[in-house]
Protein backbone atom coordinates (compact mmCIF):
# COMPACT_ATOMS: atom_id res chain seq x y z
CA UNK A 1 0.00 0.00 0.00
CA UNK A 2 1.22 3.49 -0.84
CA UNK A 3 0.52 4.81 2.64
CA UNK A 4 2.77 2.26 4.31
CA UNK A 5 5.72 2.97 2.05
CA UNK A 6 5.47 6.61 3.13
CA UNK A 7 5.30 5.78 6.82
CA UNK A 8 8.64 7.36 7.75
CA UNK A 9 7.27 10.84 6.96
CA UNK A 10 4.34 10.23 9.26
CA UNK A 11 6.17 9.56 12.50
CA UNK A 12 6.36 12.21 15.22
CA UNK A 13 9.25 14.61 15.65
CA UNK A 14 10.19 17.01 18.44
CA UNK A 15 11.52 20.22 16.94
CA UNK A 16 12.45 22.88 19.49
CA UNK A 17 9.34 23.40 21.61
CA UNK A 18 7.06 21.67 19.09
CA UNK A 19 5.80 18.14 18.97
CA UNK A 20 5.11 17.46 15.30
CA UNK A 21 2.95 14.57 14.15
CA UNK A 22 4.63 14.30 10.77
CA UNK A 23 7.72 15.45 8.88
CA UNK A 24 6.22 17.22 5.85
CA UNK A 25 7.17 20.86 6.39
CA UNK A 26 5.92 23.87 4.44
CA UNK A 27 8.98 25.76 3.18
CA UNK A 28 9.10 29.58 3.33
CA UNK A 29 7.41 30.95 0.20
CA UNK A 30 7.29 34.64 -0.71
CA UNK A 31 3.90 35.21 -2.32
CA UNK A 32 3.56 39.01 -2.29
CA UNK A 33 0.01 39.14 -0.93
CA UNK A 34 0.41 41.36 2.15
CA UNK A 35 -1.69 44.52 2.21
CA UNK A 36 0.12 47.56 0.83
CA UNK A 37 1.50 50.09 1.44
CA UNK A 38 2.22 48.93 5.01
CA UNK A 39 3.00 45.23 4.32
CA UNK A 40 0.34 43.98 6.72
CA UNK A 41 -0.75 40.31 6.62
CA UNK A 42 -4.49 40.30 5.94
CA UNK A 43 -7.39 37.92 5.52
CA UNK A 44 -6.27 36.56 2.13
CA UNK A 45 -3.02 35.43 3.73
CA UNK A 46 -4.99 33.96 6.65
CA UNK A 47 -7.02 31.84 4.19
CA UNK A 48 -3.90 30.65 2.37
CA UNK A 49 -2.01 29.59 5.49
CA UNK A 50 -5.09 28.05 7.11
CA UNK A 51 -5.65 25.93 3.98
CA UNK A 52 -2.08 24.61 4.25
CA UNK A 53 -2.16 23.90 8.00
CA UNK A 54 -2.41 20.30 9.15
CA UNK A 55 -2.75 18.60 12.51
CA UNK A 56 0.72 18.44 14.03
CA UNK A 57 2.24 19.97 10.89
CA UNK A 58 4.86 22.71 10.66
CA UNK A 59 4.70 25.85 8.50
CA UNK A 60 7.53 28.34 8.06
CA UNK A 61 6.19 31.71 6.93
CA UNK A 62 7.27 33.47 3.79
CA UNK A 63 10.29 35.72 4.31
CA UNK A 64 9.18 38.57 6.56
CA UNK A 65 11.00 41.88 6.76
CA UNK A 66 12.55 42.98 10.05
CA UNK A 67 12.42 46.71 9.22
CA UNK A 68 11.25 49.13 6.56
CA UNK A 69 14.76 49.49 5.18
CA UNK A 70 15.23 45.70 4.99
CA UNK A 71 12.54 45.43 2.32
CA UNK A 72 13.29 44.42 -1.25
CA UNK A 73 10.19 42.71 -2.57
CA UNK A 74 6.80 44.32 -3.05
CA UNK A 75 4.04 42.54 -1.15
CA UNK A 76 6.29 40.74 1.34
CA UNK A 77 4.92 41.12 4.88
CA UNK A 78 6.76 42.65 7.81
CA UNK A 79 7.27 42.23 11.56
CA UNK A 80 8.18 45.79 12.43
CA UNK A 81 4.81 47.42 13.21
CA UNK A 82 1.99 46.75 15.67
CA UNK A 83 -0.46 46.39 12.81
CA UNK A 84 1.68 43.65 11.26
CA UNK A 85 1.81 41.83 14.61
CA UNK A 86 -1.99 41.95 14.79
CA UNK A 87 -2.28 40.57 11.26
CA UNK A 88 0.09 37.69 12.03
CA UNK A 89 -1.74 36.94 15.31
CA UNK A 90 -4.89 36.09 13.38
CA UNK A 91 -2.96 33.85 10.99
CA UNK A 92 -1.03 32.01 13.70
CA UNK A 93 -4.27 31.43 15.65
CA UNK A 94 -5.98 30.01 12.56
CA UNK A 95 -3.08 27.62 11.92
CA UNK A 96 -2.93 26.57 15.57
CA UNK A 97 -6.70 25.99 15.63
CA UNK A 98 -6.08 23.26 13.03
CA UNK A 99 -3.37 21.74 15.24
CA UNK A 100 -0.55 23.32 13.23
CA UNK A 101 2.71 25.00 14.27
CA UNK A 102 4.38 28.07 12.84
CA UNK A 103 7.77 29.83 12.81
CA UNK A 104 8.31 33.26 11.21
CA UNK A 105 11.15 33.60 8.72
CA UNK A 106 13.09 36.83 9.38
CA UNK A 107 14.43 38.68 6.35
CA UNK A 108 16.79 41.47 5.44
CA UNK A 109 17.26 41.64 1.67
CA UNK A 110 20.52 43.66 1.77
CA UNK A 111 21.67 44.55 -1.73
CA UNK A 112 18.76 42.66 -3.37
CA UNK A 113 16.61 45.75 -3.05
CA UNK A 114 15.52 49.01 -4.55
CA UNK A 115 15.04 52.53 -3.20
CA UNK A 116 11.34 52.25 -4.03
CA UNK A 117 11.12 49.54 -1.34
CA UNK A 118 13.31 50.97 1.43
CA UNK A 119 11.58 54.32 1.90
CA UNK A 120 14.30 55.91 -0.22
CA UNK A 121 17.29 54.53 1.72
CA UNK A 122 20.21 53.21 -0.31
CA UNK A 123 20.28 49.40 -0.04
CA UNK A 124 23.11 48.00 2.08
CA UNK A 125 25.43 45.02 1.89
CA UNK A 126 28.74 43.68 3.18
CA UNK A 127 30.70 45.41 0.39
CA UNK A 128 30.04 47.38 -2.77
CA UNK A 129 29.68 45.17 -5.86
CA UNK A 130 28.53 47.21 -8.89
CA UNK A 131 28.42 44.02 -11.00
CA UNK A 132 25.40 43.03 -8.91
CA UNK A 133 23.18 45.99 -9.68
CA UNK A 134 24.45 46.22 -13.25
CA UNK A 135 23.38 42.62 -13.91
CA UNK A 136 20.14 42.53 -15.91
CA UNK A 137 18.89 39.37 -14.16
CA UNK A 138 18.95 40.62 -10.58
CA UNK A 139 15.40 41.90 -10.58
CA UNK A 140 13.24 42.94 -7.66
CA UNK A 141 9.50 43.48 -7.50
CA UNK A 142 8.68 47.15 -6.91
CA UNK A 143 5.43 49.11 -7.27
CA UNK A 144 4.20 48.79 -10.83
CA UNK A 145 7.05 46.74 -12.28
CA UNK A 146 10.15 44.60 -11.97
CA UNK A 147 13.39 46.57 -11.75
CA UNK A 148 17.12 46.04 -11.51
CA UNK A 149 18.39 46.43 -7.96
CA UNK A 150 19.47 49.94 -6.94
CA UNK A 151 23.17 50.63 -6.31
CA UNK A 152 24.05 49.62 -2.75
CA UNK A 153 26.65 50.70 -0.17
CA UNK A 154 28.67 48.87 2.49
CA UNK A 155 27.41 48.85 6.08
CA UNK A 156 29.52 50.47 8.79
CA UNK A 157 30.27 48.47 11.93
CA UNK A 158 27.93 50.68 13.96
CA UNK A 159 25.12 50.10 11.47
CA UNK A 160 25.63 46.33 11.67
CA UNK A 161 24.93 46.53 15.40
CA UNK A 162 21.68 48.36 14.59
CA UNK A 163 20.63 45.64 12.16
CA UNK A 164 21.29 42.95 14.77
CA UNK A 165 18.95 44.91 17.06
CA UNK A 166 16.32 44.99 14.30
CA UNK A 167 16.45 41.19 14.18
CA UNK A 168 16.10 41.05 17.96
CA UNK A 169 13.12 43.41 17.91
CA UNK A 170 11.45 41.45 15.08
CA UNK A 171 11.87 38.25 17.12
CA UNK A 172 10.12 39.96 20.05
CA UNK A 173 7.28 40.90 17.75
CA UNK A 174 7.14 37.33 16.42
CA UNK A 175 6.71 36.10 19.98
CA UNK A 176 3.99 38.73 20.54
CA UNK A 177 2.20 37.44 17.45
CA UNK A 178 2.16 33.91 18.89
CA UNK A 179 4.76 32.26 16.65
CA UNK A 180 6.50 29.33 18.31
CA UNK A 181 9.86 30.45 17.01
CA UNK A 182 11.76 32.18 14.23
CA UNK A 183 13.88 31.02 11.31
CA UNK A 184 16.73 33.35 10.33
CA UNK A 185 16.98 33.61 6.54
CA UNK A 186 20.69 33.25 5.77
CA UNK A 187 20.29 31.85 2.24
CA UNK A 188 19.49 32.83 -1.36
CA UNK A 189 21.78 35.84 -1.60
CA UNK A 190 20.14 38.09 1.00
CA UNK A 191 21.97 40.16 3.62
CA UNK A 192 23.35 37.42 5.88
CA UNK A 193 24.37 35.29 2.88
CA UNK A 194 26.05 38.41 1.42
CA UNK A 195 28.25 38.45 4.54
CA UNK A 196 28.88 34.67 4.52
CA UNK A 197 30.12 34.28 0.94
CA UNK A 198 33.32 36.01 -0.15
CA UNK A 199 32.06 36.82 -3.66
CA UNK A 200 29.96 39.54 -1.99
CA UNK A 201 32.02 40.13 1.16
CA UNK A 202 35.37 41.83 0.58
CA UNK A 203 35.47 43.59 3.94
CA UNK A 204 38.78 43.90 5.75
CA UNK A 205 37.36 44.43 9.26
CA UNK A 206 36.06 41.89 11.79
CA UNK A 207 33.13 41.03 9.49
CA UNK A 208 35.23 40.09 6.44
CA UNK A 209 38.20 37.98 5.39
CA UNK A 210 38.52 34.61 7.16
CA UNK A 211 35.43 32.42 7.46
CA UNK A 212 35.19 33.07 11.23
CA UNK A 213 34.76 36.77 10.46
CA UNK A 214 32.21 36.29 7.68
CA UNK A 215 30.08 34.16 9.99
CA UNK A 216 30.12 36.89 12.67
CA UNK A 217 26.94 38.65 11.55
CA UNK A 218 24.98 35.38 11.50
CA UNK A 219 26.37 34.50 14.93
CA UNK A 220 25.43 37.87 16.37
CA UNK A 221 21.93 37.65 14.94
CA UNK A 222 21.42 34.13 16.34
CA UNK A 223 22.66 35.26 19.75
CA UNK A 224 20.43 38.36 19.79
CA UNK A 225 17.34 36.48 18.67
CA UNK A 226 18.03 33.60 21.10
CA UNK A 227 18.21 36.16 23.93
CA UNK A 228 14.56 36.92 23.19
CA UNK A 229 13.10 33.48 22.40
CA UNK A 230 15.55 30.96 23.81
CA UNK A 231 17.83 29.11 21.38
CA UNK A 232 15.43 26.18 21.02
CA UNK A 233 12.95 28.53 19.32
CA UNK A 234 15.53 29.74 16.81
CA UNK A 235 16.42 28.12 13.49
CA UNK A 236 18.70 29.08 10.61
CA UNK A 237 18.23 28.55 6.89
CA UNK A 238 21.37 28.37 4.74
CA UNK A 239 21.95 27.71 1.05
CA UNK A 240 25.21 25.75 0.82
CA UNK A 241 26.88 26.26 -2.56
CA UNK A 242 24.01 28.55 -3.49
CA UNK A 243 24.82 30.70 -6.51
CA UNK A 244 21.39 32.17 -7.12
CA UNK A 245 21.08 35.96 -6.82
CA UNK A 246 24.68 36.54 -7.88
CA UNK A 247 26.32 34.57 -5.08
CA UNK A 248 29.74 32.90 -5.12
CA UNK A 249 32.40 31.76 -2.70
CA UNK A 250 36.03 30.78 -3.25
CA UNK A 251 35.67 27.67 -1.04
CA UNK A 252 31.99 26.90 -0.39
CA UNK A 253 32.77 23.43 1.00
CA UNK A 254 34.89 24.89 3.79
CA UNK A 255 32.54 27.81 4.42
CA UNK A 256 29.34 25.84 4.86
CA UNK A 257 31.04 23.05 6.82
CA UNK A 258 32.25 25.72 9.22
CA UNK A 259 28.79 27.31 9.41
CA UNK A 260 27.06 24.00 10.18
CA UNK A 261 29.62 22.99 12.82
CA UNK A 262 29.50 26.47 14.36
CA UNK A 263 25.70 26.55 14.51
CA UNK A 264 25.73 23.16 16.23
CA UNK A 265 26.86 24.85 19.45
CA UNK A 266 23.79 27.06 19.85
CA UNK A 267 21.17 24.38 20.62
CA UNK A 268 18.92 25.56 17.78
CA UNK A 269 15.48 24.14 17.01
CA UNK A 270 16.86 22.99 13.65
CA UNK A 271 19.14 23.81 10.76
CA UNK A 272 17.39 24.19 7.40
CA UNK A 273 19.33 23.58 4.17
CA UNK A 274 18.46 24.42 0.60
CA UNK A 275 19.88 21.84 -1.77
CA UNK A 276 21.93 23.51 -4.54
CA UNK A 277 20.08 21.56 -7.23
CA UNK A 278 17.47 24.34 -6.85
CA UNK A 279 18.38 27.99 -7.47
CA UNK A 280 15.76 30.28 -5.87
CA UNK A 281 12.56 28.70 -7.17
CA UNK A 282 14.00 26.91 -10.23
CA UNK A 283 15.43 23.39 -10.36
CA UNK A 284 18.73 23.87 -12.16
CA UNK A 285 20.43 20.48 -11.49
CA UNK A 286 17.65 17.88 -11.39
CA UNK A 287 20.13 15.02 -11.64
CA UNK A 288 21.86 15.98 -8.38
CA UNK A 289 21.15 14.21 -5.08
CA UNK A 290 20.82 15.79 -1.63
CA UNK A 291 24.49 16.81 -1.63
CA UNK A 292 24.23 19.56 0.99
CA UNK A 293 22.55 17.26 3.50
CA UNK A 294 25.15 14.56 2.86
CA UNK A 295 28.00 17.01 3.44
CA UNK A 296 26.60 18.69 6.53
CA UNK A 297 24.72 15.94 8.35
CA UNK A 298 27.87 14.70 10.13
CA UNK A 299 28.70 18.25 11.27
CA UNK A 300 25.37 19.30 12.73
CA UNK A 301 24.10 17.07 15.53
CA UNK A 302 20.74 18.80 16.00
CA UNK A 303 17.61 18.45 13.87
CA UNK A 304 18.17 18.84 10.13
CA UNK A 305 15.59 19.84 7.51
CA UNK A 306 16.26 20.26 3.81
CA UNK A 307 14.29 21.60 0.87
CA UNK A 308 14.98 21.73 -2.82
CA UNK A 309 13.66 19.41 -5.47
CA UNK A 310 12.18 16.77 -3.15
CA UNK A 311 9.36 14.53 -4.28
CA UNK A 312 7.40 12.35 -1.85
CA UNK A 313 9.55 9.29 -2.67
CA UNK A 314 12.89 11.05 -2.27
CA UNK A 315 11.65 12.67 0.95
CA UNK A 316 10.70 9.26 2.34
CA UNK A 317 14.13 7.91 1.44
CA UNK A 318 15.94 10.87 3.05
CA UNK A 319 14.02 10.51 6.31
CA UNK A 320 14.11 6.69 6.37
CA UNK A 321 17.89 6.66 5.96
CA UNK A 322 18.36 9.19 8.76
CA UNK A 323 19.87 11.76 6.39
CA UNK A 324 17.15 14.26 7.34
CA UNK A 325 14.74 14.66 10.22
CA UNK A 326 12.12 16.35 8.05
CA UNK A 327 11.69 17.57 4.47
CA UNK A 328 10.38 20.98 3.45
CA UNK A 329 8.38 21.35 0.26
CA UNK A 330 8.06 24.65 -1.57
CA UNK A 331 6.41 24.53 -4.99
CA UNK A 332 4.25 21.51 -4.12
CA UNK A 333 2.76 23.52 -1.24
CA UNK A 334 1.97 26.40 -3.60
CA UNK A 335 -0.42 24.26 -5.64
CA UNK A 336 -1.51 21.61 -3.14
CA UNK A 337 -3.10 23.14 -0.06
CA UNK A 338 -3.72 19.60 1.21
CA UNK A 339 -0.19 18.42 0.40
CA UNK A 340 0.18 16.49 3.66
CA UNK A 341 -3.00 14.52 2.97
CA UNK A 342 -2.01 13.88 -0.66
CA UNK A 343 1.41 12.57 0.32
CA UNK A 344 0.01 10.40 3.08
CA UNK A 345 -2.60 8.88 0.76
CA UNK A 346 -0.38 8.66 -2.33
CA UNK A 347 -2.64 11.01 -4.31
CA UNK A 348 -1.42 12.88 -7.42
CA UNK A 349 0.05 16.36 -6.94
CA UNK A 350 -1.17 19.40 -8.88
CA UNK A 351 1.45 21.51 -10.73
CA UNK A 352 2.18 25.07 -9.60
CA UNK A 353 1.62 28.02 -11.93
CA UNK A 354 4.82 30.11 -11.93
CA UNK A 355 3.00 33.09 -13.50
CA UNK A 356 1.09 33.73 -10.25
CA UNK A 357 3.92 33.12 -7.75
CA UNK A 358 4.39 36.84 -7.07
CA UNK A 359 1.16 38.47 -8.22
CA UNK A 360 -0.95 40.31 -5.72
CA UNK A 361 -4.43 38.77 -5.58
CA UNK A 362 -6.26 35.52 -4.83
CA UNK A 363 -5.71 34.07 -8.31
CA UNK A 364 -3.09 31.36 -8.09
CA UNK A 365 -2.89 31.82 -4.33
CA UNK A 366 -5.80 30.75 -2.14
CA UNK A 367 -7.79 29.21 -5.01
CA UNK A 368 -5.89 25.95 -5.58
CA UNK A 369 -8.42 23.24 -4.66
CA UNK A 370 -7.85 20.35 -2.29
CA UNK A 371 -7.83 16.96 -3.99
CA UNK A 372 -11.44 16.01 -3.27
CA UNK A 373 -12.74 19.34 -4.57
CA UNK A 374 -10.55 19.07 -7.67
CA UNK A 375 -11.87 15.64 -8.65
CA UNK A 376 -15.46 16.67 -7.89
CA UNK A 377 -15.18 19.74 -10.15
C1 LIG B 1 7.27 31.20 -4.97
C2 LIG B 1 8.50 30.92 -4.15
C3 LIG B 1 8.85 31.79 -3.14
C4 LIG B 1 9.94 31.52 -2.31
N1 LIG B 1 10.20 32.33 -1.25
C5 LIG B 1 11.14 32.00 -0.34
C6 LIG B 1 11.27 32.72 0.87
O1 LIG B 1 10.51 33.65 1.16
N2 LIG B 1 12.26 32.36 1.72
C7 LIG B 1 13.11 31.30 1.45
O2 LIG B 1 13.99 31.00 2.25
N3 LIG B 1 12.97 30.58 0.31
C8 LIG B 1 11.99 30.88 -0.56
N4 LIG B 1 11.79 30.11 -1.67
C9 LIG B 1 12.56 28.85 -1.81
C10 LIG B 1 11.74 27.67 -1.23
O3 LIG B 1 11.60 27.79 0.18
C11 LIG B 1 12.41 26.32 -1.54
O4 LIG B 1 13.72 26.31 -1.00
C12 LIG B 1 12.48 26.07 -3.04
O5 LIG B 1 11.22 26.29 -3.65
C13 LIG B 1 12.91 24.64 -3.31
O6 LIG B 1 11.96 23.73 -2.81
P1 LIG B 1 10.94 22.96 -3.80
O7 LIG B 1 11.79 22.23 -4.79
O8 LIG B 1 10.18 22.02 -2.89
O9 LIG B 1 10.07 23.98 -4.44
C14 LIG B 1 10.73 30.36 -2.54
C15 LIG B 1 10.38 29.50 -3.59
C16 LIG B 1 9.27 29.74 -4.36
C17 LIG B 1 8.87 28.75 -5.41
Amino acid sequence: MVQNTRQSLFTSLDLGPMHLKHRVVMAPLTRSRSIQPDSVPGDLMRQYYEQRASDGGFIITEATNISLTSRGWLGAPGLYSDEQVQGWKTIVSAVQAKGGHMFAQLWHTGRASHVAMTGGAIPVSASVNPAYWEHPNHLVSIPGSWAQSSPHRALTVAEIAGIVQDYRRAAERAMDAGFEGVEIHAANGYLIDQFLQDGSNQRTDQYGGPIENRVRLLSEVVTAVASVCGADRVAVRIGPRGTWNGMSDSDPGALFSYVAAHLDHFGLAYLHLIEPRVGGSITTHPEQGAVAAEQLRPLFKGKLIAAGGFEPETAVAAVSSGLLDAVAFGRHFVSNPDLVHRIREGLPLAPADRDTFYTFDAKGYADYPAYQAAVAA
Side-chain angles (χ1 to χ4, degrees), residues 27-30 63 105 185 188 237 278 280-281 308-309 329-331 357-358:
L29 292 167
T30 292
Q105 192 188 49
H185 193 348
N188 286 348
R237 189 174 216 217
V278 174
S281 65
F329 291 89
R331 288 162 289 180
F357 276 179
Y358 308 114

Side-chain angles (χ1 to χ4, degrees), residues 126-290:
S127 314
V128 179
N129 298 277
Y132 182 78
W133 69 75
E134 286 164 3
H135 198 290
N137 289 351
H138 298 150
L139 297 180
V140 289
S141 172
I142 65 167
S145 66
W146 292 86
Q148 273 176 251
S149 302
S150 297
H152 55 263
R153 64 180 181 81
L155 282 164
T156 66
V157 170
E159 286 173 322
I160 292 172
I163 286 178
V164 171
Q165 289 315 308
D166 288 342
Y167 275 99
R168 191 187 55 73
R169 183 76 192 105
E172 280 171 358
R173 290 189 186 277
M175 294 295 105
D176 291 347
F179 286 107
E180 284 156 277
V182 296
E183 178 180 286
I184 296 162
H185 193 348
N188 286 348
Y190 297 108
L191 184 68
I192 296 177
D193 206 12
Q194 292 160 26
F195 273 75
L196 290 177
Q197 302 207 45
D198 61 12
S200 47
N201 184 347
Q202 289 102 40
R203 298 177 75 96
T204 52
D205 61 9
Q206 65 269 41
Y207 291 93
I211 291 173
E212 307 85 84
N213 283 358
R214 286 183 271 135
V215 174
R216 195 177 306 281
L217 172 62
L218 173 59
S219 242
E220 289 179 355
V221 170
V222 170
T223 304
V225 167
S227 76
V228 169
C229 319
D232 71 329
R233 292 180 185 274
V234 180
V236 174
R237 189 174 216 217
I238 54 174
R241 298 173 187 274
T243 56
W244 191 75
N245 220 351
M247 298 306 290
S248 65
D249 191 80
S250 57
D251 191 352
L255 170 64
F256 288 100
S257 292
Y258 182 93
V259 170
H262 180 71
L263 290 174
D264 197 36
H265 301 303
F266 285 91
L268 300 177
Y270 61 90
L271 176 63
H272 190 174
L273 311 177
I274 304 175
E275 287 295 338
R277 63 188 169 197
V278 174
S281 65
I282 297 170
T283 304
T284 50
H285 296 90
E287 73 294 344
Q288 208 176 68

Side-chain angles (χ1 to χ4, degrees), residues 316-331:
V316 168
V319 170
S320 306
S321 68
L323 179 64
L324 295 174
D325 294 292
V327 173
F329 291 89
R331 288 162 289 180

